[in-house]
């Protein structure tokens, strides 16, 4: 017995915490259907405007209803903007100077 599963469309979304250049001390969760790397630049809808953001980390378990999570609208895939060492340095600086992570990343 065989089954034809070609008619099934399964939409699996991955969740990512992103940082945006705003004076707020948090990351924001967005979804995307394909795997993205930490440090990639993306475009997201933030408070009704399209803004550039950085993928900060993958989020396996969103803190709220996945139906309310907005999608990442565009991915700049030509290069990674932050490697692991820059990521760690930005994280340290934001914590040490008590400065928003998004503004630290975009400084």
């Amino acid at each position: 017995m065989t089954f034809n599963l070609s008619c099934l469309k399964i939409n699996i979304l991955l969740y990512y915490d992103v940082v945006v250049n705003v004076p707020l001390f948090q990351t924001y969760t967005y979804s995307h259907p394909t795997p993205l790397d930490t440090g990639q630049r993306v475009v997201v809808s933030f408070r009704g405007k399209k803004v550039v953001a950085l993928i900060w980390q993958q989020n396996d378990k969103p803190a709220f209803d996945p139906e309310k999570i907005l999608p990442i609208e565009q991915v700049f895939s030509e290069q990674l903007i932050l490697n692991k060492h820059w990521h760690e340095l930005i994280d340290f600086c934001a914590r040490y100077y008590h400065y928003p992570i998004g503004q630290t990343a975009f400084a």
Side-chain angles (χ1 to χ4, degrees):
M1 176 182 259
T2 59
F3 296 99
N4 184 0
L5 299 178
S6 63
C7 63
L8 293 176
K9 183 177 180 182
I10 299 173
N11 191 11
I12 298 174
L13 293 175
L14 301 170
Y15 300 103
Y16 297 95
D17 290 337
V18 303
V19 294
V20 293
N21 190 6
V22 294
L24 300 171
F25 290 86
Q26 66 187 54
T27 59
Y28 300 91
T29 304
Y30 287 84
S31 64
H32 198 265
T34 61
L36 300 174
D37 292 322
T38 299
Q40 270 188 292
R41 291 185 313 149
V42 296
V43 174
V44 296
S45 178
F46 185 79
R47 295 187 177 174
K49 295 190 285 186
K50 293 184 192 297
V51 297
V52 174
L54 292 174
I55 300 291
W56 197 247
Q57 66 186 7
Q58 187 168 355
N59 185 343
D60 295 330
K61 297 179 183 177
F64 46 90
D65 184 15
E67 296 294 322
K68 295 181 180 179
I69 296 176
L70 296 175
I72 292 172
E73 297 189 14
Q74 182 180 355
V75 178
F76 297 109
S77 59
E78 58 273 356
Q79 65 179 344
L80 292 179
I81 192 166
L82 293 177
N83 64 28
K84 178 184 173 195
H85 301 293
W86 278 104
H87 188 276
E88 291 171 358
L89 179 62
I90 290 168
D91 188 50
F92 168 78
C93 289
R95 286 183 289 113
Y96 185 83
Y97 292 105
H98 304 283
Y99 203 69
I101 190 77
Q103 288 188 311
T104 304
F106 283 91

